[in-house]
Amino acid sequence: MKTQTKLAIILGFLSTTLVVVFGISVYYFLDKYSYVDFYKRLEARVSISAQYSLNSGTLNSRYLKSLRKQHLETLEKEKEYLIETSPNVSLKDIAQKHKLPLNFLISLSKVGTYREKQGNLFMAGSQYKKGNKRYFVIVSAENYYVSNHLIFLRTVLIGGISMVILIVAIFSFYFSKHIFDPIRDITVKVKQISTENIHLRLENNIDKSSEISELTSTFNELLNRIETAFETQKNFISNASHELGTPLTTIIGEADFSLLKPRTSEEYIAAIKNILQQAERLNEITKSLLFLAQTGYKGKTITFEMVRIDEVIWSTKSLIDKLNPNNKILVDLRLLPEDPKKLKVQGNQQLLHLAFANILSNACKYSNNKPVTVHIASSNSQVIIMVEDQGIGIPESEIDYIYDPFFRASNTNLFEGYGIGLPLTQNIISLHRGDLIVSSQVNVGTKVQVKIPLMKFI
């Protein structure tokens, strides 16, 4: 069942339920009120009837009787009873004589004032004493309001409710159909977008505060990410093909050239050395690609433990000191927090070691071993590592591409590298729920800032 059909059914059901409940409530309370009101009318007539019946012949009784005829309408099938009771006459005899319910007379004699309904007939009565005699004054009538007006009200309510249900059903289906028009338009437009025209975007002309506008913006952001992923994939494939193809071409060329004719031992050795050099280069590229793919795969299980960032920095510096004795890495301890807990993170020491090794080795390489400063600081929620060099920098127009695999800035032709270190570092920092921020200025230097959440202690 479509969502718009469900919405129409729900709206129709709720509206119908509310209208029906409202109609039933109106009818119920008016019905109850009509009984109460009618009993009050009967009781008023009982009181007036007792006044002029028990005091007949007096001026006051004649006046009351005259007022009753003038101002009190005669009810439907109204009857008055003035019944003298005595111990010698049973209530049963009275009931048979006046055709009154025996139970009504019994209750009236016990309570003194009583009212009762028998079918459509309403009765009210009271006991009165005059001298040594006791009287029952009873008035009975049919409630015309109940028998006519409430029937009319019931007919009106049923007709009105039926009409409302029909109108609500029509508007519910109309409303549910047209409220989904923007979503239907989005669906149609999204179906038109493919890999050939992934640059297309959804128009967002609706009120910016509406949910549809938010949905459209979300789709456009998703398309932006997908387009970026496609472009990255294209660049990756193009660069990987080039990087892998170059050593393979060299290896095949050297082997073919060596087999064209007999060579001297020195020539074979030179060819084999060249082939070995290119094979080692191909091996390094392949391993880097595999490691890059593994760190980018979120489902890979990696062991995390408590790691002190300052120890990782010192260990990485020691390694680079061995590989590049001419480096000038300086560790600034002025911002180092006094609390050692503010240096501990939940991470994988081997991966963090690799990430900082890439950052520091790049800083030394692209600055020709000029001074490189490492600052270690911490806030209440994260540890911050800043690496500053005085190298060649990165052109401003190329800073957005530095995380693409195999991308190398246009001013790095004189330096060896494959363009994999920084993307690999970004994947590692992402695995640690951290941020990698790079800012640079050509011929001034580059700043690399790493932020990693602190380990939580219970």
Side-chain angles (χ1 to χ4, degrees), residues 309 345 352 356 381-383 385 429 432 434 450-454:
I309 288 296
V345 300
L352 288 174
F356 287 112
S381 59
Q382 55 190 2
V383 62
I385 303 92
I429 300 303
H432 289 77
V450 178
K451 298 179 180 180
I452 302 176
L454 291 173

Side-chain angles (χ1 to χ4, degrees), residues 11-22:
L11 286 175
F13 176 77
L14 290 177
S15 302
T16 301
T17 302
L18 289 174
V19 171
V20 170
V21 170
F22 175 75

Side-chain angles (χ1 to χ4, degrees), residues 3-13 168-169 172-174 176-177:
T3 303
Q4 71 177 53
T5 305
K6 289 182 180 178
L7 183 60
I9 292 174
I10 292 172
L11 286 175
F13 176 77
V168 166
S172 295
F173 278 100
Y174 178 84
S176 63
K177 179 181 179 182

Side-chain angles (χ1 to χ4, degrees), residues 135-273:
Y135 297 90
F136 287 160
V137 179
I138 301 170
V139 177
S140 66
E142 287 187 0
N143 193 340
Y144 178 81
Y145 183 82
V146 172
S147 59
N148 291 275
H149 290 71
L150 284 182
I151 292 174
F152 176 75
L153 176 63
R154 185 165 62 240
T155 304
V156 170
L157 287 175
I158 291 174
I161 289 173
S162 301
M163 185 64 67
V164 169
I165 290 173
L166 179 61
I167 295 173
V168 166
I170 294 172
F171 274 94
S172 295
F173 278 100
Y174 178 84
F175 172 76
S176 63
K177 179 181 179 182
H178 288 280
I179 197 174
F180 281 95
D181 283 346
I183 297 178
R184 196 176 295 108
D185 293 340
I186 291 174
T187 304
V188 172
K189 292 175 183 177
V190 169
K191 286 182 178 179
Q192 296 173 353
I193 299 175
S194 62
T195 54
E196 285 73 24
N197 57 359
I198 199 170
H199 61 279
L200 296 178
R201 294 295 181 268
L202 303 176
E203 295 181 2
N204 194 359
N205 300 323
I206 308 174
D207 180 13
K208 300 299 182 183
S209 61
S210 69
E211 290 78 2
I212 301 298
S213 176
E214 186 177 352
L215 177 63
T216 303
S217 300
T218 303
F219 265 119
N220 286 335
E221 291 173 4
L222 175 63
L223 290 171
N224 289 336
R225 294 194 295 269
I226 292 175
E227 184 179 13
T228 302
F230 270 114
E231 292 300 322
T232 302
Q233 184 184 40
K234 288 179 182 178
N235 292 334
F236 180 85
I237 293 173
S238 175
N239 292 323
S241 300
H242 177 267
E243 293 293 335
L244 293 172
T246 301
L248 282 174
T249 302
T250 303
I251 290 171
I252 294 172
E254 284 288 342
D256 286 341
F257 181 77
S258 299
L259 294 174
L260 285 176
K261 62 179 182 178
R263 306 283 180 181
T264 62
S265 302
E266 288 77 10
E267 290 175 327
Y268 279 124
I269 291 173
I272 292 172
K273 284 184 178 179

Side-chain angles (χ1 to χ4, degrees), residues 289-301:
L289 283 174
L290 290 174
F291 200 28
L292 179 63
Q294 288 176 346
T295 55
Y297 174 51
K298 302 299 182 183
K300 180 178 175 62
T301 303

